[in-house]
Amino acid sequence: MKLENSTCKKELVLQSQSHKIRAAVFEQGELMEVFEEEGGSSHLVGNIYRGRVENVLPGMQAAFVDIGLDKNAFLYVGDAVPSRFEDDEKNSPVLQDRIEHILKPRQELVVQINKEPVGAKGARISVNLTLPGRYVVLLPQVSYIGISRKIQDDHERERLRDLAEKAKPEGMGVIIRTLAEGIDGEEIAEDIAQLTEMWRTLQPRIPHVSVPGLVHKDVDLVSRLLRDWIDQDVEKITVDQEDVARTLRQALMEIEHPAAKRIFVVSDEDLFVKYGVDDGIRKALRSKVWLKSGGYLVIQQTEALIVIDVNTGKYVGQRSLEETVVHTNLEAAREIGRQLRLRNLGGIIVIDFIDMTSKEDQQQVIEALESACSKDRTKSQVLGLTQLGLVEMTRKKVGQTLAVRYTSPCPACDGSGRTYMIEK
């Protein structure tokens, strides 16, 4: 779905429906991502809990922890110990010890959700707590400074590192977020100070929370959009509630964001219908995706593997077969980047582009795919061609897929899409 006559780099649409808030992100008029939150309770990542270890599984080097949700949360050994970093550039702890030496059944823990529950799997948790702000993430339990890998200028990285070193409290750490690029030291220091105050207010309350129980809840959808999504590319925001517009204007004026003057209220229309969001979601739930040229993609998903097939379809080109193939593959690469974000697909992704004999053409398509994924906030990596000529890539699993949020398995076929012609 593409908005007509839209020239905005990035545009947000927020719609309130009874107890639900829905948000859509458009880039150059194309629908890229959709979020929703019902009753303020559907988002769990970032929440902090007191929990109790139920099972320790040495064979899996993991434990299951009761934090008060429907399913016990999953705690991997690498997330069960305080982080120790190998060097200043790696935001990954050094693996140490075995799970049975760290945890015992009935042991009480303070943990934070870092991955939403998906399907039959419970939430994934960590004992390493973080408090995210707009420009930094505070690490209250470890002294460390990290810089977002998306900030590539060496001078800017050094500037931000110096600012963080001066502003962070003794014994605590910070990770500088991508949004901090080009931001002055005063704003970054203020962000760190606010998060530090939040932690110092939160810490004394922890022992008084019952087990299992919620210690700290992450902010609501509107606040998360302000914190995580409204970057310098956002040029326009449309909402259907004046109070939401007022909140956004005030917050954006405080950080001198130009979009504060481009917040529009449209209260007499269904914004998701007006902007074609629901229609875009319906199309993204189909396995076949048509390209503008007449080619198409077929996207099939399993729990850990996504398979995408590229076809020329109705597109026959004009000059040669080679030109037709390259044109289709380049268009497909750009659309695949969008579909991965819109559907929120994660895991191992294998793409069967139409065969190309030229190494230059193959590299051009891979670069187009990398470019299409470069603005994705969720970490992805294009690994290149396999021996079979397939393109392999990965995308981190974050939250629930669009299919999980908007569909349920068919009771007749158990979600396979096919029904039996013989009695079960």
Side-chain angles (χ1 to χ4, degrees):
M1 174 58 60
K2 187 175 179 73
L3 295 182
E4 295 297 327
N5 302 321
S6 178
T7 57
C8 289
K9 275 188 182 179
K10 195 170 183 180
E11 181 175 355
L12 301 184
V13 178
L14 273 70
Q15 175 174 276
S16 303
Q17 294 178 328
S18 60
H19 298 293
K20 179 185 287 189
I21 295 180
R22 305 175 73 193
V25 179
F26 288 85
E27 292 179 4
Q28 300 293 348
E30 288 193 307
L31 178 64
M32 302 301 293
E33 299 185 60
V34 180
F35 313 93
E36 59 279 317
E37 191 162 289
E38 190 164 0
S41 62
S42 60
H43 178 79
L44 298 176
V45 170
N47 290 359
I48 299 173
Y49 297 83
R50 288 192 74 193
R52 181 180 292 112
V53 177
E54 292 294 311
N55 308 96
V56 178
L57 308 174
M60 294 178 63
Q61 281 301 293
F64 287 101
V65 181
D66 180 10
I67 59 174
L69 302 180
D70 293 339
K71 296 184 179 69
N72 288 340
F74 180 82
L75 178 61
Y76 176 62
V77 62
D79 296 316
V81 292
S83 292
R84 290 209 312 249
F85 296 92
E86 290 179 337
D87 60 56
D88 204 34
E89 294 302 317
K90 293 187 178 180
N91 184 20
S92 58
V94 181
L95 191 59
Q96 57 178 1
D97 230 328
R98 292 181 59 83
I99 195 73
E100 63 269 30
H101 299 155
I102 301 168
L103 300 176
K104 303 295 180 187
R106 311 300 295 170
Q107 182 176 339
E108 295 181 0
L109 298 170
V110 178
V111 296
Q112 185 172 37
I113 292 180
N114 52 26
K115 281 190 179 179
E116 299 271 359
V118 178
K121 293 183 178 179
R124 182 161 172 171
I125 56 176
S126 172
V127 301
N128 296 295
L129 308 183
T130 63
L131 294 175
R134 180 170 174 82
Y135 303 119
V136 306
V137 176
L138 182 71
L139 311 175
Q141 301 163 308
V142 58
S143 182
Y144 167 77
I145 296 176
I147 311 288
S148 167
R149 288 186 178 91
K150 291 189 176 181
I151 301 175
Q152 297 181 346
D153 183 85
D154 290 338
H155 293 295
E156 178 64 5
R157 292 177 67 85
E158 194 60 36
R159 182 186 77 89
L160 292 169
R161 191 183 304 280
D162 290 342
L163 290 174
E165 186 65 54
K166 293 175 184 176
K168 80 176 186 66
E170 186 70 28
M172 296 189 190
V174 294
I175 296 173
I176 302 293
R177 305 184 68 189
T178 308
L179 283 173
E181 187 168 12
I183 299 300
D184 65 45
E186 186 178 339
E187 290 184 81
I188 292 172
E190 185 178 337
D191 207 24
I192 293 173
Q194 289 176 349
L195 294 172
T196 303
E197 182 60 29
M198 181 189 298
W199 172 248
R200 287 175 176 158
T201 303
L202 172 67
Q203 201 173 14
R205 298 206 310 260
I206 294 176
H208 304 289
V209 175
S210 59
V211 181
L214 177 66
V215 172
H216 167 75
K217 182 172 177 56
D218 195 21
V219 295
D220 61 25
L221 179 59
V222 174
S223 299
R224 287 203 311 278
L225 287 169
L226 280 164
R227 184 185 72 195
D228 300 335
W229 288 96
I230 301 182
D231 54 20
Q232 294 305 310
D233 287 341
V234 173
E235 297 177 347
K236 181 180 177 183
I237 302 172
T238 304
V239 303
D240 64 351
Q241 301 260 338
E242 182 57 49
D243 58 339
V244 174
R246 216 167 18 246
T247 300
L248 290 171
R249 284 194 195 101
Q250 182 176 350
L252 292 177
M253 285 174 65
E254 288 176 3
I255 60 174
E256 299 181 353
H257 195 295
K261 298 179 181 179
R262 297 206 67 196
I263 298 175
F264 302 94
V265 180
V266 181
S267 57
D268 57 347
E269 292 187 65
D270 186 317
L271 291 183
F272 271 41
V273 171
K274 175 182 173 66
Y275 278 78
V277 178
D278 287 336
D279 185 47
I281 291 172
R282 280 189 287 270
K283 288 181 179 178
L285 294 172
R286 301 170 188 164
S287 61
K288 181 179 283 189
V289 179
W290 286 99
L291 304 174
K292 292 173 186 176
S293 65
Y296 64 90
L297 312 175
V298 177
I299 302 175
Q300 296 290 345
Q301 177 185 1
T302 66
E303 188 168 343
L305 178 69
I306 314 298
V307 179
I308 303 176
D309 186 33
V310 181
N311 300 274
T312 54
K314 296 179 285 188
Y315 179 58
V316 295
Q318 294 179 340
R319 297 181 184 176
S320 66
L321 174 61
E322 184 178 358
E323 183 185 75
T324 302
V325 167
V326 173
H327 183 278
T328 305
N329 282 340
L330 288 172
E331 187 180 9
R334 291 187 286 268
E335 183 62 23
I336 286 168
R338 186 178 83 92
Q339 290 293 327
L340 294 178
R341 289 176 63 184
L342 180 54
R343 298 176 187 231
N344 196 25
L345 300 178
I348 300 169
I349 301 158
V350 176
I351 307 166
D352 186 9
F353 285 105
I354 305 166
D355 289 342
M356 295 171 289
T357 55
S358 166
K359 296 288 186 185
E360 290 79 8
D361 291 342
Q362 292 172 357
Q363 186 59 33
Q364 187 182 3
V365 170
I366 289 174
E367 288 174 0
L369 180 61
E370 290 173 336
S371 177
C373 297
S374 63
K375 290 191 176 181
D376 192 348
R377 290 178 68 256
T378 301
K379 184 180 178 181
S380 62
Q381 184 177 8
V382 179
L383 304 173
L385 286 167
T386 69
Q387 290 182 338
L388 295 175
L390 306 173
V391 173
E392 186 179 13
M393 65 174 290
T394 60
R395 186 175 186 269
K396 186 178 179 180
K397 288 187 174 182
V398 179
Q400 296 179 331
T401 65
L402 199 72
V404 169
R405 283 148 51 195
Y406 285 97
T407 66
S408 59
C410 168
C413 70
D414 292 328
S416 72
R418 304 181 72 85
T419 57
Y420 287 92
M421 296 180 69
I422 58 174
E423 292 186 9
K424 294 184 181 180

